[in-house]
Coordinates of all heavy atoms in Angstrom, one line a residue:
M28 N -48.1 146.8 183.7 CA -49.2 146.8 184.6 C -50.5 147.1 183.9 O -50.5 148.0 183.0 CB -49.0 147.8 185.7 CG -50.1 147.9 186.7 SD -50.0 149.1 188.0 CE -48.7 148.5 189.0
R29 N -51.6 146.4 184.1 CA -52.8 146.6 183.5 C -53.8 147.2 184.5 O -53.7 147.0 185.7 CB -53.4 145.4 182.9 CG -52.5 144.8 181.8 CD -53.2 143.7 181.1 NE -53.9 142.7 181.9 CZ -54.0 141.4 181.5 NH1 -53.5 141.0 180.4 NH2 -54.7 140.6 182.2
Y30 N -54.7 148.0 184.0 CA -55.7 148.6 184.8 C -57.1 147.9 184.7 O -57.5 147.6 183.6 CB -55.9 150.1 184.4 CG -57.0 150.8 185.1 CD1 -56.9 151.3 186.3 CD2 -58.3 150.9 184.5 CE1 -57.9 152.0 187.0 CE2 -59.3 151.6 185.1 CZ -59.1 152.1 186.4 OH -60.1 152.7 187.0
Y31 N -57.7 147.6 185.8 CA -59.0 147.0 185.8 C -60.0 147.9 186.6 O -59.7 148.3 187.7 CB -59.0 145.6 186.5 CG -58.2 144.6 185.7 CD1 -56.8 144.4 186.0 CD2 -58.8 143.8 184.7 CE1 -56.1 143.5 185.3 CE2 -58.0 142.9 184.0 CZ -56.7 142.8 184.3 OH -55.9 141.8 183.6
S32 N -61.1 148.2 186.0 CA -62.2 148.9 186.7 C -63.1 147.8 187.4 O -63.7 147.0 186.7 CB -63.0 149.7 185.7 OG -64.0 150.4 186.4
L33 N -63.1 147.9 188.7 CA -63.9 146.8 189.4 C -65.2 147.3 189.8 O -66.2 146.6 189.7 CB -63.1 146.4 190.7 CG -61.7 145.8 190.5 CD1 -61.1 145.5 191.8 CD2 -61.8 144.6 189.6
E34 N -65.3 148.5 190.3 CA -66.6 149.0 190.8 C -66.6 150.6 190.8 O -65.5 151.2 190.8 CB -66.7 148.6 192.3 CG -68.0 149.0 192.9 CD -69.2 148.3 192.3 OE1 -69.8 149.0 191.4 OE2 -69.6 147.2 192.7
K35 N -67.8 151.1 190.6 CA -67.9 152.6 190.6 C -67.8 153.1 192.1 O -68.3 152.4 193.0 CB -69.2 153.0 190.1 CG -69.4 152.7 188.6 CD -70.7 153.2 188.1 CE -70.8 152.9 186.6 NZ -72.1 153.2 186.1
L36 N -67.0 154.1 192.3 CA -66.8 154.7 193.7 C -68.2 154.9 194.4 O -68.3 154.7 195.6 CB -66.0 155.9 193.6 CG -64.5 155.8 193.3 CD1 -63.8 157.1 193.2 CD2 -63.8 154.9 194.4
I37 N -69.1 155.4 193.6 CA -70.4 155.7 194.3 C -71.1 154.5 194.9 O -71.9 154.6 195.8 CB -71.4 156.4 193.2 CG1 -72.5 157.1 193.9 CG2 -71.9 155.4 192.2 CD1 -73.3 158.0 193.0
N38 N -70.7 153.3 194.4 CA -71.3 152.0 194.9 C -70.6 151.5 196.2 O -71.0 150.5 196.8 CB -71.3 151.0 193.9 CG -72.2 151.3 192.7 OD1 -73.2 152.1 192.9 ND2 -72.0 150.8 191.5
L39 N -69.5 152.1 196.5 CA -68.7 151.6 197.7 C -69.2 152.2 199.0 O -69.6 153.4 199.0 CB -67.2 151.9 197.5 CG -66.6 151.2 196.3 CD1 -65.1 151.7 196.1 CD2 -66.7 149.7 196.4
F40 N -69.1 151.4 200.0 CA -69.5 151.9 201.4 C -68.8 151.0 202.4 O -68.3 150.0 202.1 CB -71.1 151.7 201.6 CG -71.5 150.3 201.3 CD1 -71.6 149.4 202.3 CD2 -71.9 150.0 200.0 CE1 -72.0 148.1 202.0 CE2 -72.3 148.7 199.7 CZ -72.4 147.7 200.7
D41 N -68.7 151.5 203.6 CA -68.0 150.7 204.7 C -68.8 149.4 204.8 O -70.0 149.4 205.0 CB -68.0 151.4 206.0 CG -66.9 152.5 206.0 OD1 -66.0 152.5 205.1 OD2 -66.9 153.4 206.9
G42 N -68.1 148.3 204.8 CA -68.7 147.0 204.8 C -68.9 146.3 203.5 O -69.2 145.2 203.4
Y43 N -68.6 147.1 202.4 CA -68.7 146.6 201.1 C -67.7 145.4 200.9 O -66.5 145.5 201.3 CB -68.3 147.6 200.0 CG -68.3 147.2 198.6 CD1 -69.4 147.3 197.8 CD2 -67.1 146.6 198.1 CE1 -69.4 146.8 196.5 CE2 -67.1 146.1 196.8 CZ -68.2 146.3 196.0 OH -68.1 145.8 194.7
R44 N -68.1 144.3 200.3 CA -67.2 143.2 199.9 C -67.8 142.6 198.7 O -69.0 142.3 198.6 CB -67.2 142.1 201.0 CG -66.6 142.5 202.3 CD -66.6 141.4 203.3 NE -66.0 141.9 204.5 CZ -65.7 141.2 205.6 NH1 -65.9 139.9 205.5 NH2 -65.2 141.7 206.6
E45 N -66.9 142.4 197.7 CA -67.3 141.7 196.5 C -66.1 141.0 195.9 O -65.0 141.6 196.0 CB -67.8 142.8 195.5 CG -68.5 142.2 194.3 CD -69.8 141.4 194.6 OE1 -70.6 142.0 195.4 OE2 -69.9 140.3 194.1
V46 N -66.3 139.9 195.3 CA -65.2 139.1 194.7 C -65.2 139.3 193.2 O -66.2 139.3 192.6 CB -65.4 137.6 195.1 CG1 -64.3 136.8 194.4 CG2 -65.3 137.4 196.6
F47 N -64.0 139.5 192.7 CA -63.8 139.7 191.3 C -62.8 138.7 190.8 O -61.8 138.5 191.4 CB -63.3 141.1 191.0 CG -64.3 142.2 191.3 CD1 -64.3 142.7 192.6 CD2 -65.2 142.6 190.4 CE1 -65.2 143.7 193.0 CE2 -66.2 143.6 190.8 CZ -66.1 144.1 192.0
K48 N -63.0 138.1 189.6 CA -62.1 137.2 189.0 C -61.3 138.0 188.0 O -61.9 138.6 187.1 CB -62.8 136.1 188.3 CG -63.7 135.3 189.1 CD -63.0 134.3 190.0 CE -64.0 133.4 190.7 NZ -63.4 132.6 191.7
I49 N -60.0 138.0 188.1 CA -59.1 138.7 187.2 C -58.0 137.7 186.8 O -57.2 137.3 187.7 CB -58.5 140.0 187.8 CG1 -59.6 140.9 188.2 CG2 -57.5 140.6 186.9 CD1 -59.1 142.2 188.9
D50 N -58.0 137.4 185.5 CA -57.1 136.4 185.0 C -57.2 135.1 185.9 O -58.3 134.6 186.1 CB -55.6 136.9 185.0 CG -55.5 138.0 184.0 OD1 -56.3 138.1 183.0 OD2 -54.6 138.9 184.2
N51 N -56.1 134.7 186.6 CA -56.2 133.5 187.4 C -56.3 133.8 188.9 O -56.2 133.0 189.8 CB -54.9 132.7 187.3 CG -54.8 132.1 185.9 OD1 -55.8 131.8 185.2 ND2 -53.5 132.0 185.4
H52 N -56.7 135.1 189.2 CA -56.8 135.5 190.6 C -58.2 135.8 190.9 O -59.0 136.2 190.1 CB -56.0 136.8 190.8 CG -54.5 136.7 190.5 ND1 -53.7 136.1 191.4 CD2 -53.8 137.0 189.4 CE1 -52.4 136.1 190.9 NE2 -52.5 136.6 189.7
S53 N -58.5 135.5 192.2 CA -59.8 135.8 192.7 C -59.6 136.8 193.9 O -59.0 136.5 194.9 CB -60.5 134.5 193.3 OG -61.7 134.8 193.9
L54 N -60.0 138.0 193.6 CA -59.7 139.1 194.5 C -61.0 139.6 195.2 O -62.1 139.7 194.5 CB -59.1 140.3 193.8 CG -57.7 140.0 193.2 CD1 -57.2 141.3 192.5 CD2 -56.7 139.6 194.2
M55 N -60.9 140.0 196.5 CA -62.0 140.5 197.2 C -61.8 142.0 197.4 O -60.7 142.4 198.0 CB -62.2 139.8 198.5 CG -63.4 140.4 199.3 SD -63.8 139.5 200.8 CE -62.3 139.7 201.8
L56 N -62.6 142.8 196.9 CA -62.6 144.3 197.1 C -63.4 144.6 198.3 O -64.6 144.1 198.4 CB -63.1 145.0 195.9 CG -63.2 146.5 195.9 CD1 -61.8 147.2 196.1 CD2 -63.9 147.1 194.7
L57 N -62.8 145.3 199.3 CA -63.6 145.6 200.5 C -63.3 147.0 200.9 O -62.2 147.6 200.6 CB -63.3 144.6 201.6 CG -62.0 144.5 202.2 CD1 -62.1 143.9 203.6 CD2 -61.1 143.6 201.3
Q58 N -64.2 147.6 201.6 CA -64.0 148.9 202.2 C -64.2 148.9 203.7 O -65.3 148.4 204.2 CB -65.0 150.0 201.5 CG -64.8 151.4 202.1 CD -65.5 152.4 201.4 OE1 -65.4 152.5 200.1 NE2 -66.2 153.3 202.1
I59 N -63.3 149.4 204.4 CA -63.3 149.4 205.9 C -62.9 150.8 206.3 O -61.8 151.3 206.0 CB -62.4 148.4 206.5 CG1 -62.7 147.0 206.0 CG2 -62.4 148.5 208.0 CD1 -61.7 146.0 206.3
D60 N -63.7 151.5 207.1 CA -63.4 152.8 207.6 C -63.0 153.8 206.5 O -62.0 154.5 206.6 CB -62.4 152.8 208.7 CG -62.9 152.1 209.9 OD1 -64.1 152.1 210.2 OD2 -62.0 151.5 210.7
G61 N -63.6 153.7 205.3 CA -63.3 154.6 204.2 C -62.1 154.2 203.4 O -61.9 154.8 202.4
Q62 N -61.4 153.2 203.8 CA -60.2 152.7 203.1 C -60.6 151.5 202.2 O -61.4 150.6 202.7 CB -59.1 152.3 204.0 CG -58.6 153.4 204.8 CD -57.8 154.5 204.0 OE1 -57.0 154.1 203.1 NE2 -58.2 155.7 204.1
R63 N -60.1 151.4 201.0 CA -60.4 150.3 200.1 C -59.2 149.4 200.0 O -58.1 149.9 199.9 CB -60.8 150.9 198.8 CG -62.1 151.7 198.9 CD -62.4 152.6 197.7 NE -63.4 153.5 198.1 CZ -63.2 154.8 198.1 NH1 -62.0 155.3 197.7 NH2 -64.1 155.7 198.5
Y64 N -59.5 148.1 199.9 CA -58.4 147.1 199.8 C -58.8 146.1 198.8 O -60.0 145.8 198.7 CB -58.2 146.4 201.2 CG -57.9 147.4 202.3 CD1 -58.9 147.9 203.1 CD2 -56.6 147.8 202.6 CE1 -58.7 148.7 204.2 CE2 -56.3 148.7 203.6 CZ -57.4 149.1 204.4 OH -57.1 150.0 205.4
A65 N -57.8 145.5 198.2 CA -58.1 144.3 197.3 C -57.2 143.2 197.8 O -55.9 143.4 197.9 CB -57.8 144.7 195.9
V66 N -57.8 142.1 198.3 CA -57.0 141.0 198.9 C -57.4 139.7 198.2 O -58.5 139.6 197.6 CB -57.2 140.9 200.4 CG1 -56.8 142.2 201.1 CG2 -58.7 140.6 200.7
E67 N -56.6 138.7 198.3 CA -57.0 137.4 197.8 C -58.3 137.0 198.5 O -58.5 137.2 199.7 CB -55.9 136.3 198.1 CG -54.6 136.5 197.4 CD -54.8 136.1 195.9 OE1 -55.7 135.3 195.6 OE2 -53.9 136.5 195.1
S68 N -59.2 136.4 197.8 CA -60.6 136.2 198.4 C -60.6 134.9 199.2 O -61.7 134.6 199.8 CB -61.6 136.1 197.2 OG -61.4 135.0 196.4
S69 N -59.6 134.1 199.1 CA -59.6 132.8 199.9 C -58.4 132.8 200.8 O -57.3 133.3 200.6 CB -59.7 131.6 199.0 OG -58.6 131.6 198.2
C70 N -58.6 132.0 201.9 CA -57.5 131.9 202.9 C -56.4 131.0 202.4 O -56.6 130.0 201.8 CB -58.2 131.2 204.2 SG -57.0 131.0 205.5
P71 N -55.2 131.5 202.6 CA -54.0 130.7 202.1 C -53.9 129.3 202.9 O -53.1 128.5 202.5 CB -52.8 131.6 202.3 CG -53.2 132.6 203.4 CD -54.7 132.7 203.2
H72 N -54.5 129.2 204.0 CA -54.4 128.0 204.8 C -55.1 126.8 204.1 O -54.5 125.9 203.7 CB -54.9 128.2 206.2 CG -54.8 127.0 207.1 ND1 -55.9 126.5 207.9 CD2 -53.8 126.1 207.3 CE1 -55.5 125.4 208.5 NE2 -54.3 125.1 208.2
R73 N -56.4 126.9 204.0 CA -57.2 125.8 203.3 C -58.2 126.4 202.3 O -59.2 125.8 202.0 CB -58.0 125.0 204.4 CG -57.1 124.3 205.4 CD -56.8 122.9 204.9 NE -55.8 122.2 205.7 CZ -56.1 121.4 206.7 NH1 -57.4 121.1 206.9 NH2 -55.2 120.8 207.4
E74 N -57.9 127.5 201.8 CA -58.7 128.1 200.7 C -60.1 128.4 201.1 O -61.0 128.5 200.2 CB -58.6 127.2 199.4 CG -57.3 126.8 198.9 CD -56.5 128.1 198.4 OE1 -57.2 128.9 197.8 OE2 -55.3 128.1 198.7
Y75 N -60.3 128.6 202.3 CA -61.7 128.9 202.8 C -62.0 130.4 202.3 O -61.2 131.3 202.4 CB -61.8 128.8 204.3 CG -63.2 128.7 204.8 CD1 -63.9 127.5 204.7 CD2 -63.9 129.8 205.2 CE1 -65.2 127.4 205.2 CE2 -65.2 129.8 205.7 CZ -65.8 128.6 205.6 OH -67.2 128.5 206.1
P76 N -63.2 130.6 201.8 CA -63.6 132.0 201.4 C -63.5 133.0 202.5 O -64.0 132.7 203.6 CB -65.0 131.8 200.9 CG -65.2 130.4 200.7 CD -64.3 129.6 201.6
L77 N -62.9 134.1 202.2 CA -62.8 135.2 203.2 C -63.9 136.2 203.2 O -63.9 137.2 203.9 CB -61.4 135.9 203.1 CG -60.2 135.0 203.4 CD1 -58.9 135.8 203.1 CD2 -60.2 134.6 204.9
T78 N -64.9 135.9 202.4 CA -66.0 136.9 202.2 C -66.8 137.1 203.5 O -67.3 138.1 203.7 CB -66.9 136.5 201.1 OG1 -67.3 135.1 201.3 CG2 -66.3 136.7 199.7
A79 N -66.8 136.0 204.4 CA -67.5 136.1 205.6 C -66.5 136.4 206.8 O -66.9 136.2 208.0 CB -68.3 134.8 205.9
S80 N -65.3 136.8 206.5 CA -64.3 137.0 207.6 C -64.7 138.2 208.4 O -65.3 139.1 208.0 CB -62.9 137.2 207.0 OG -62.9 138.3 206.1
D81 N -64.3 138.1 209.7 CA -64.5 139.2 210.6 C -63.3 140.2 210.4 O -62.2 139.8 210.1 CB -64.6 138.7 212.0 CG -65.9 138.0 212.3 OD1 -66.9 138.4 211.7 OD2 -65.8 137.1 213.2
V82 N -63.5 141.4 210.8 CA -62.5 142.4 210.8 C -62.2 142.8 212.3 O -63.2 143.2 213.0 CB -62.8 143.7 210.0 CG1 -61.7 144.7 210.2 CG2 -63.0 143.3 208.6
V83 N -61.0 142.5 212.7 CA -60.6 142.9 214.1 C -59.4 143.8 214.0 O -58.4 143.4 213.6 CB -60.3 141.6 214.9 CG1 -59.9 142.0 216.3 CG2 -61.5 140.7 215.0
G84 N -59.6 145.0 214.4 CA -58.6 146.0 214.3 C -58.2 146.2 212.8 O -59.1 146.5 212.0
D85 N -57.0 145.9 212.4 CA -56.6 146.0 211.0 C -56.3 144.6 210.4 O -55.6 144.5 209.5 CB -55.4 146.9 210.8 CG -54.2 146.4 211.5 OD1 -54.3 145.5 212.3 OD2 -53.1 146.9 211.2
E86 N -57.0 143.6 211.0 CA -56.8 142.3 210.5 C -58.1 141.6 210.1 O -59.2 141.9 210.6 CB -56.2 141.4 211.6 CG -54.9 141.9 212.1 CD -54.3 141.0 213.2 OE1 -55.1 140.7 214.1 OE2 -53.1 140.7 213.2
L87 N -58.0 140.8 209.0 CA -59.1 139.9 208.6 C -58.9 138.6 209.4 O -57.8 138.1 209.5 CB -59.1 139.6 207.1 CG -59.5 140.7 206.2 CD1 -59.4 140.1 204.7 CD2 -61.0 141.0 206.4
V88 N -60.0 138.1 209.9 CA -60.0 136.8 210.7 C -60.7 135.7 209.9 O -61.9 135.9 209.6 CB -60.6 136.9 212.1 CG1 -60.5 135.6 212.8 CG2 -59.9 138.1 212.8
C89 N -60.0 134.7 209.4 CA -60.6 133.7 208.6 C -61.7 133.0 209.5 O -61.4 132.6 210.6 CB -59.6 132.7 208.2 SG -60.3 131.2 207.3
P90 N -62.9 132.8 209.0 CA -64.0 132.2 209.8 C -63.7 130.7 210.0 O -64.4 130.1 210.9 CB -65.2 132.4 208.9 CG -64.8 132.8 207.6 CD -63.4 133.2 207.7
K91 N -62.9 130.0 209.3 CA -62.7 128.6 209.4 C -61.8 128.2 210.6 O -62.2 127.5 211.5 CB -62.1 128.0 208.1 CG -62.0 126.5 208.1 CD -63.4 125.9 208.0 CE -63.3 124.4 207.7 NZ -64.6 123.8 207.7
H92 N -60.6 128.7 210.6 CA -59.6 128.3 211.7 C -59.1 129.6 212.4 O -58.1 129.5 213.2 CB -58.5 127.5 211.2 CG -58.9 126.2 210.5 ND1 -58.8 126.1 209.1 CD2 -59.5 125.1 210.9 CE1 -59.2 124.9 208.8 NE2 -59.7 124.3 209.8
H93 N -59.6 130.7 212.1 CA -59.3 132.0 212.8 C -57.9 132.5 212.6 O -57.4 133.2 213.5 CB -59.7 131.8 214.3 CG -61.1 131.3 214.5 ND1 -62.2 132.0 214.2 CD2 -61.5 130.1 214.9 CE1 -63.3 131.3 214.4 NE2 -62.9 130.1 214.9
Y94 N -57.2 132.1 211.5 CA -56.0 132.7 211.2 C -56.3 134.2 210.9 O -57.3 134.6 210.4 CB -55.3 132.1 210.0 CG -54.6 130.8 210.2 CD1 -55.0 130.0 211.2 CD2 -53.6 130.4 209.3 CE1 -54.3 128.7 211.4 CE2 -53.0 129.2 209.4 CZ -53.4 128.4 210.5 OH -52.7 127.2 210.6
R95 N -55.3 135.1 211.2 CA -55.4 136.5 211.1 C -54.5 137.0 210.0 O -53.3 136.6 210.0 CB -55.2 137.2 212.4 CG -56.2 136.9 213.4 CD -55.8 137.5 214.8 NE -57.0 137.4 215.7 CZ -57.5 138.4 216.3 NH1 -57.1 139.6 216.1 NH2 -58.5 138.2 217.1
F96 N -54.9 138.0 209.2 CA -54.1 138.5 208.2 C -54.2 140.1 208.2 O -55.3 140.6 208.3 CB -54.5 138.0 206.8 CG -54.6 136.5 206.7 CD1 -55.8 135.9 206.9 CD2 -53.5 135.8 206.5 CE1 -55.9 134.5 206.9 CE2 -53.6 134.4 206.5 CZ -54.8 133.8 206.6
G97 N -53.1 140.7 208.2 CA -53.1 142.2 208.1 C -53.8 142.6 206.8 O -53.4 142.2 205.7
I98 N -54.8 143.5 206.9 CA -55.5 143.9 205.7 C -54.6 144.7 204.8 O -54.6 144.5 203.6 CB -56.7 144.8 206.1 CG1 -57.7 143.9 206.9 CG2 -57.4 145.4 204.9 CD1 -58.8 144.7 207.5
S99 N -53.8 145.6 205.3 CA -53.0 146.4 204.5 C -51.7 145.8 204.0 O -51.2 146.2 202.9 CB -52.6 147.7 205.2 OG -51.9 147.4 206.4
D100 N -51.1 144.8 204.7 CA -49.9 144.2 204.3 C -49.9 142.7 204.1 O -48.9 142.1 203.7 CB -48.7 144.6 205.2 CG -48.9 144.1 206.6 OD1 -49.9 143.3 206.9 OD2 -48.2 144.5 207.5
G101 N -51.0 142.0 204.5 CA -51.1 140.6 204.3 C -50.3 139.8 205.3 O -50.4 138.5 205.3
Q102 N -49.6 140.4 206.2 CA -48.8 139.6 207.2 C -49.7 138.9 208.2 O -50.8 139.3 208.5 CB -47.9 140.6 208.0 CG -46.8 141.2 207.2 CD -45.8 140.3 206.8 OE1 -45.3 139.4 207.5 NE2 -45.4 140.3 205.5
Ligands
FES27 S1 -58.9 127.9 206.2 FE1 -58.5 129.9 207.0 S2 -57.4 129.5 208.8 FE2 -57.8 127.6 208.0

């Protein structure tokens, strides 16, 4: 396992979203209610960017076709 420093903690805030390229992955780092998550930055349905996704409860809602994904487990 390798360690990557993505962002300084002091720069994080609720609503923070930023995409990072790591090897062949594009990850979105986000903070919601003080919790930090790193998720794939595009929707698995049609690769639409999730940077503009809405958060409903503990789910990200893809802005394109409104598929929902659990933030903490990806279900
Ligand atoms: S591209 Fe995300 S639900 Fe279709």
